[in-house]
């Protein structure tokens, strides 16, 4: 904080610990905690004008033109009218101001929409509807199902048993499966009793606001008793309450201090690579201008001293104006005369071209998604050409690459493979939307959204096939899904894992409908018949076991164990009689894995009554043991899960968005590297990597970094790097340089290292946290950049931004981040280009993005077509603009040697005024808006056309120097050819031709024809608009010239139109036209010859494709090939997504509202099925209490 802030008492100490009291607003206000209102807008009504003008004049070019305008208001200096600078400057400021105002109005609307959401708050003993912005730390709020969480809350009580609540965290971590949060029992007893909640005076001490989404530490003190608080008891802003009637929460962090906002990252002002280059070139041009003017000033002093005295009889000096003062005036006069080296019209034209290319993106029907009526949108108009230079893409997974939809795709039952379609000849057919679907209308409880195409499976089940029915019976029984049936027949499955939901839904449609559960039973409708199974035990999932089992007793008294899990785990526990079936099933699993499907193997075992009685006794004993409980239970599970009988396998598809693999393949051909940054678990991210063809079994190696220590991460990264590049130096070579305005910015670049073979890298969030530290970040970068594919899983939003910033810092490459949720906002803001997908996770990513659309596949059109065209157009525009203006300006330099360095302009005043604003404005605009080397179809056909943009080949410092050299040559020709031709020339009547006015007209006419001819050479794609503007500008020049040099205007405005009759007298001479022709020929011929030889001897890929397009017209469409069948021995290694212990919850008596109490056998199984509330405390809770 600055001095004035301290003086006014505005300094706020860094918060080390948060202390708050429930229902005590005066105390909490005294702590100066942030309120719940958020502000992302930049201006308000009062600050907009001064702040925006200040920001615009902080740009060097605008400040320079303001200074130039002030000079032009001084009559002793200026030889050019002031309005030639004032009008364009005002236009630039106005256009930029309107654009900034519009962007900020949208931010204000977004803030207002969020801040004005309503929520119920407990105030003075009653619930009131309040706006989010009025919520304060320490308030108790009530949330209902499907409501957004208002702030970061401590869960107090809920409508669900065991004080549970279900939340969807898609905007935080990208996962759409529901999470379970559980409040303290002591606060849960308050329920929804408003009196008890109003009287609640708990005190919370916890960590200060931070960005760690997965950690929370604190204590709650109630009546002197302390209770531990962890992340499972906290509801974070950005979550959505699901399947919970109501809950109450205590506000811990509000507004900008919430973990979501802490992860949002700062909004950065983004400039394109070309803008940054211009910031270097413009000062260089100013320096060149100053040097030229200084040289001409010296020439003026010498001329005045040697020759000036002889002219005083004709042009007497003004009193008091000697040679020094005259030279001083001459310097500033030349600054004004030569200012067209960087005319302000350049910036006007750049903004108009960017705006036009943004409209082309908005209007592109091929990027319109009709299913959601969502067009592509360029949310910023200043970054278009940057889209043509992308080197790294950072993509979210869930909702960006995938659809957030799990579908039951295929299965293997008793040696038969189901889920594929075959034609009459037995050939495999591709399944499309038009393919015939299985009719489930016979099943009244079927899910109407479920789609399956193989009718053979339904026929097999209906025929009473025992193996098929046992298969779906297992899927209906072995899970932790909770059913919700608000109306008869309308089932809604509440699955913590979307995979389990897909499997249970499949069983439901094939006649085995999971209807309801109690802690002791599961009710299933089997082919229309109600069957109640007694649930004896749930053998829960863990990451080590990678399987889950249930033990049930059917109505006939037969006990069966049903098990599902990873194939390698289940195969080890199969009975030897299953070897032949295992071999066939493995073959099917290989096919499923080759298609990128997530696989499970199903098995069962019939159990003996006497053995199970003894087993249940031991189960009860071990589940209540104080020490080694989990180890003993695992041993017990191992004992019963043996000699299983194989039923088959399932294949679930995590549905990709349409065209994702093809898009990734196209972008890879364009030499764009794609990194996936996801909050999802490793197995899921890895599986999607294979589905998208980013990971392939043909890769030389795939490295997995999963260490939990810094040393371990360093070792794993070094081992991977050494394997990929054995000869590489241990320490990276960092090239340090300077860049930016006046070379004040220091850059560090790590060069790419050559690697033989293709490699992949998978790193989890814990390891990434160590790898992003200062001493390991370069090791991470080197290793990752050697790999073809990089997948970072279980990463926080802030880590996503850190990865992007790491690449930006050391690679000096253009980056793009694409995502669809609030968890992607930080990386979208951090990247050079941010793209938001309007998907299932809200609009946070879209509102923070630079470009948005509805499907990932549109990214290839955005980059390979619009991005590449925008880059080509901007580069051609700048090259041509500098060419025409340097040529125009340098003619004044050569003329200075013939006019006594008097700062006299060589052209007519009206030509000076209209050259950039009228005569050459529209043709160059048409070039910047419509130019394309090849059409969009050829751009897709040859993605390699994108590569020159990544290397900045079309506009660079080298290209700029080349343009200046050509302009010098052209200006010399334009000045000296007319001067030499007309110096001693006479008209047919014997009078001189070479007066000043005729020479000026001849020179400016030659100049305009030359730059128009250069435009003709630069244009590859001609439209009617290009033709109209080019020929129209020449026509306007001719008509304006004859009008302004006419007798009539001279007699009306003698001082403003002094060139009377010059056009009529000059242009009727044949030698004048011959001079113009010779000037144009000598100016254009070298450039045309150079380009011709370059294309013949060293053609670029663009030249080759253009030639091919000219020969063939449109590219031949690639013959359609159905997806190749791949067979893979790799598995998704996926079992379930829920966390350990959830199986105990679903068997807990308090988890469900029961009408009739019952028991498993004649004794309680474990503490979790006790009916007393005090036994439902979590382990963390009990641990905290034991210390107090």
């Amino acid at each position: 904080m600055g001095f004035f802030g301290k003086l006014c008492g505005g300094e706020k100490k860094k918060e080390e610990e948060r202390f708050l009291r429930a229902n005590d607003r005066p105390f909490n206000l005294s702590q100066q905690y942030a309120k719940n209102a958020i502000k992302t807008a930049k201006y308000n009504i009062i600050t907009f004008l001064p702040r925006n003008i200040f920001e615009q004049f902080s740009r060097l070019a605008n400040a320079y033109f303001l200074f130039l305008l002030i000079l032009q208001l001084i009559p002793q200096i200026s030889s050019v009218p002031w309005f030639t600078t004032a009008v364009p400057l005002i236009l630039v400021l106005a256009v930029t101001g309107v654009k900034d105002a519009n962007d900020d109005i949208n931010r204000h609307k977004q803030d207002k929409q969020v801040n004005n959401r309503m929520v119920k708050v407990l105030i003075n003993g009653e619930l009131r509807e309040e706006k989010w912005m009025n919520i304060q730390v320490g308030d108790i709020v009530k949330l209902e199902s499907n409501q957004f969480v208002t702030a970061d809350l401590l869960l107090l009580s809920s409508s669900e048993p065991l004080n549970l609540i279900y939340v969807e965290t898609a905007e935080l971590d990208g996962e759409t499966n529901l999470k379970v949060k559980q409040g303290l029992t002591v606060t849960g007893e308050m329920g929804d009793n408003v009196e008890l909640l109003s009287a609640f005076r708990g005190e919370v001490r916890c960590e200060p606001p931070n960005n760690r989404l997965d950690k929370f530490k604190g204590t709650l003190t109630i009546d002197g008793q302390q209770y531990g608080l962890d992340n499972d008891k906290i509801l974070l802003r950005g979550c959505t309450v699901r399947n919970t009637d109501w809950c109450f929460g205590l506000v811990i962090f509000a507004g900008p201090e919430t973990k979501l906002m802490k992860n949002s990252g700062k909004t950065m002002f983004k400039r394109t690579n070309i803008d940054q280059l211009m910031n270097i070139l413009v000062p260089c041009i100013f320096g060149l201008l100053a040097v030229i003017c200084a040289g001409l000033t010296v020439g003026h002093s010498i001329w005045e001293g040697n020759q000036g005295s002889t002219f005083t009889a004709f042009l007497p000096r003004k009193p008091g104006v000697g040679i020094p003062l005259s030279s001083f005036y001459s310097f500033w006069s030349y600054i004004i005369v030569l200012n067209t080296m960087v005319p302000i019209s350049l910036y006007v034209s750049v903004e108009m071209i960017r705006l036009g290319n943004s409209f082309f993106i908005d209007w592109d029907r091929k990027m319109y998604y009709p299913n959601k009526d969502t067009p592509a949108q360029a949310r910023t108009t200043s970054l278009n050409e940057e889209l043509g230079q992308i080197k790294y893409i950072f993509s979210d997974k869930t909702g960006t690459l995938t659809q957030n939809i799990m579908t039951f795709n295929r299965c293997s039952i008793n040696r038969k493979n189901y889920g594929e379609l075959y034609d009459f000849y037995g050939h495999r057919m591709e399944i499309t939307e038009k393919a015939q679907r299985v009719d489930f209308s016979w099943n009244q409880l079927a899910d109407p959204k479920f789609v399956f195409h193989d009718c053979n499976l339904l026929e097999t089940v209906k025929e009473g096939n025992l193996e098929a029915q046992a298969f779906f019976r297992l899927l209906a029984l072995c899970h932790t899904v909770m059913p919700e049936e608000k109306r008869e027949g309308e089932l809604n499955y509440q699955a913590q894992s979307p995979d389990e939901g897909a499997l249970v839904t499949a069983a439901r449609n094939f006649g085995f409908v999971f209807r309801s559960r109690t802690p002791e039973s599961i009710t299933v409708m089997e082919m229309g018949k109600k069957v109640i199974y007694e649930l004896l035990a749930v053998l829960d999932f863990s990451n080590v076991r990678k399987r889950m089992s249930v033990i049930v007793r059917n109505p006939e008294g037969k006990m069966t164990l049903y098990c599902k899990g990873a194939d390698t785990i289940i195969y080890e526990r199969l009975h030897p009689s299953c070897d032949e079936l295992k071999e066939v099933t493995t073959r099917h699993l290989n096919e499923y894995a080759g298609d990128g499907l997530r696989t499970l193997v199903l098995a069962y075992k019939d159990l003996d009554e006497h053995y199970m009685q003894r087993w249940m006794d031991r189960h009860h004993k071990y589940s209540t043991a104080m020490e080694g409980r989990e180890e003993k239970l695992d041993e017990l599970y191992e004992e019963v899960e043996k000699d299983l009988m194989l039923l088959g396998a399932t294949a679930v598809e995590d549905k990709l968005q349409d065209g994702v693999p093809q898009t990734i393949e196209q972008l890879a051909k364009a030499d764009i590297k794609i990194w996936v940054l996801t909050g999802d678990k490793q197995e899921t991210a890895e599986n999607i990597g294979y589905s998208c063809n980013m990971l392939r079994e043909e890769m030389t190696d795939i490295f997995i970094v999963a260490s939990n220590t810094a040393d371990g991460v360093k070792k794993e990264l070094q081992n991977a790097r050494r394997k990929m590049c054995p000869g590489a130096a241990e320490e990276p070579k960092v090239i340090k340089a300077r860049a930016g305005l006046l070379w004040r910015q220091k850059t560090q670049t790590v060069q790419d290292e050559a690697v033989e073979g293709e490699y992949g890298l998978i790193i989890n969030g814990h390891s990434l946290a160590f790898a992003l530290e200062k001493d390991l970040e370069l090791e991470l970068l080197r290793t990752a950049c050697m790999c073809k594919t990089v997948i970072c899983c279980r990463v926080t939003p802030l880590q996503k931004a850190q990865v992007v910033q790491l690449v930006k810092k050391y690679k000096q490459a253009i980056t793009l981040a694409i995502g669809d949720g609030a968890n992607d906002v930080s990386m979208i803001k951090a990247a050079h280009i941010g793209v938001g997908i309007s998907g299932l996770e809200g609009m946070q990513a879209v509102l923070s993005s630079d470009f948005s659309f509805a499907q990932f596949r549109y990214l290839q059109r955005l980059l390979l077509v619009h991005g590449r065209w925008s880059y080509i157009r901007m580069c051609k525009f700048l090259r041509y603009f500098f060419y025409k203006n340097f040529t125009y300006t340098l003619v004044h330099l050569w003329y200075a040697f013939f006019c006594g360095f008097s700062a006299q302009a060589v052209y007519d005043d009206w030509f000076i005024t209209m050259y950039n604003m009228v005569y050459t404005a529209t043709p160059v605009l048409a070039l910047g808006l419509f130019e394309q080397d090849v059409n969009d179809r050829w751009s897709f056909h040859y993605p390699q056309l994108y590569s020159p943009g990544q290397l900045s080949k079309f506009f660079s410092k080298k290209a700029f120097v080349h343009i200046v050299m050509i302009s010098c040559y052209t200006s010399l020709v334009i000045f000296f050819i007319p001067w030499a031709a007309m110096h001693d020339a006479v008209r047919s009547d014997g009078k001189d031709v070479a007066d000043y006015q005729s020479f000026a007209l001849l020179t400016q006419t030659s100049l305009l024809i030359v730059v128009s001819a250069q435009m003709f050479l630069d244009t590859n794609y001609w439209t009617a608009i290009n033709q109209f503007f080019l020929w129209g500008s020449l026509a306007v020049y001719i008509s304006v010239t004859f009008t302004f040099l006419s007798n009539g205007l001279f007699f009306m405005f003698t001082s403003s139109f002094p060139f009377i009759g010059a056009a009529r007298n000059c242009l009727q001479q044949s030698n004048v036209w011959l001079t113009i022709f010779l000037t144009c020929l000598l100016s254009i011929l070298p450039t045309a010859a150079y380009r011709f030889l370059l294309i013949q001897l060293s053609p670029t890929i663009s030249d080759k494709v253009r030639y091919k397009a000219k020969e063939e017209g449109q590219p031949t469409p690639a013959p359609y090939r159905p997806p190749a069948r791949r067979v893979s021995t790799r598995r998704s290694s996926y079992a379930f997504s829920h966390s350990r212990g959830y199986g105990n919850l679903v068997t807990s008596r308090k988890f469900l509202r029961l009408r009739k109490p019952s028991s498993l056998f004649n004794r309680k199984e474990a503490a979790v099925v006790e009916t007393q509330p005090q036994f439902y405390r979590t382990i963390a809770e009990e641990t905290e209490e034991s210390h107090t």
Side-chain angles (χ1 to χ4, degrees), residues 663-764:
T663 299
I664 290 175
E665 182 182 1
Q666 284 284 86
L667 296 176
K669 289 179 180 177
D671 199 25
I672 299 174
K673 297 183 178 180
I674 302 178
W675 293 15
V676 176
L677 311 178
T678 177
D680 221 336
K681 61 177 184 173
Q682 178 180 323
E683 291 86 352
T684 308
E686 183 180 350
N687 199 55
I688 291 299
Y690 280 99
S691 299
C692 296
N693 292 327
M694 296 176 66
L695 297 175
R696 297 183 302 278
E697 287 196 57
E698 299 79 34
M699 283 184 162
T700 310
D701 201 352
I702 296 174
F703 305 105
I704 297 178
V705 179
S707 179
N708 289 321
T709 64
D711 291 337
V713 171
K714 183 177 181 180
K715 186 176 180 181
E716 290 179 355
L717 288 173
Q718 287 180 339
N719 290 341
R721 174 176 55 78
R722 289 165 184 163
K723 182 172 182 180
M724 289 186 287
C725 193
E730 284 299 309
E731 294 298 323
K733 183 180 180 182
V734 181
I735 301 174
K736 296 183 179 180
R738 287 185 174 271
L741 183 61
L742 302 179
W743 290 271
R744 291 179 298 178
Q745 179 185 348
K746 295 180 180 179
T747 62
Q748 301 178 74
T749 307
V750 177
Q751 298 291 334
D752 288 336
E753 298 172 80
V755 175
E756 291 185 5
E758 292 187 352
Y759 297 88
L761 176 68
I762 300 171
I763 182 169
N764 63 33

Side-chain angles (χ1 to χ4, degrees), residues 295-305 323 326-328 330 334 900-903:
L296 294 175
T297 302
V298 172
H300 176 83
S301 301
I302 295 172
W303 190 89
E304 283 288 339
I323 293 177
S326 175
S327 299
F328 177 77
S330 176
Y334 269 116
F901 303 96
S902 61

Side-chain angles (χ1 to χ4, degrees), residues 420-429:
E420 294 188 332
L421 296 181
Y422 297 90
D423 60 17
F424 179 77
Y425 302 100
H427 298 149
R428 177 171 171 255
M429 297 169 56

Side-chain angles (χ1 to χ4, degrees), residues 984-1053:
D984 294 321
V986 293
R987 298 190 313 186
S988 57
D989 58 3
K991 296 181 180 179
D992 290 337
V993 176
D995 59 88
Y996 164 69
Q997 294 184 349
S998 298
F999 178 74
L1001 180 65
L1002 175 58
T1003 305
Q1004 66 193 34
T1005 303
S1006 299
L1007 171 68
L1008 196 60
I1009 294 175
V1010 166
V1011 297
S1012 298
Q1014 187 68 39
M1015 169 68 70
F1016 184 85
L1017 291 177
D1018 285 347
T1019 304
N1020 290 317
Y1021 184 71
W1022 287 95
T1023 66
I1025 297 176
N1026 292 75
Q1027 297 275 6
F1028 175 77
F1029 282 161
L1030 182 60
W1031 297 110
S1033 64
L1034 291 173
V1036 167
Y1037 168 72
I1038 293 172
S1039 59
V1040 167
T1041 299
F1042 277 95
T1043 302
F1044 282 13
L1045 305 189
S1046 64
N1047 295 353
L1049 285 177
F1050 172 77
F1051 290 123
M1052 287 187 289
F1053 309 100

Side-chain angles (χ1 to χ4, degrees), residues 316-349:
R317 293 193 179 100
K318 292 182 179 180
V321 178
I323 293 177
L325 186 57
S326 175
S327 299
F328 177 77
Y329 286 161
S330 176
F331 176 82
W332 295 111
S333 296
Y334 269 116
I335 288 287
I336 294 172
V337 169
L338 303 180
N339 80 84
T340 46
M341 282 186 177
V342 188
I344 197 167
S345 59
L346 170 67
Y347 292 93
V348 178
S349 301

Side-chain angles (χ1 to χ4, degrees), residues 397-451:
K397 181 194 76 69
T398 309
T400 304
L401 300 177
T402 64
Q403 299 183 33
N404 287 341
I405 298 173
M406 298 288 181
T407 59
F408 179 80
N409 193 286
R410 309 240 280 282
C411 64
S412 172
I413 305 174
N414 193 26
R415 300 177 179 84
K416 291 185 178 181
N417 185 10
Y418 296 97
E420 294 188 332
L421 296 181
Y422 297 90
D423 60 17
F424 179 77
Y425 302 100
H427 298 149
R428 177 171 171 255
M429 297 169 56
E430 184 183 6
I431 296 176
T432 64
E433 293 184 359
K434 296 181 180 179
Q436 185 177 356
R437 301 180 178 183
V438 175
D439 182 11
F440 293 107
S441 59
W442 60 275
N443 184 354
Q444 295 181 350
L445 294 175
D447 184 348
K449 297 179 182 178
F450 181 81
V451 176

Side-chain angles (χ1 to χ4, degrees), residues 633-649:
L633 285 174
D634 284 343
E635 291 178 7
L636 194 63
Y637 295 165
E638 286 283 347
E639 177 187 313
V640 73
E641 292 173 329
K642 288 182 178 178
D643 295 330
L644 302 176
M645 302 301 294
L646 181 61
L647 273 175

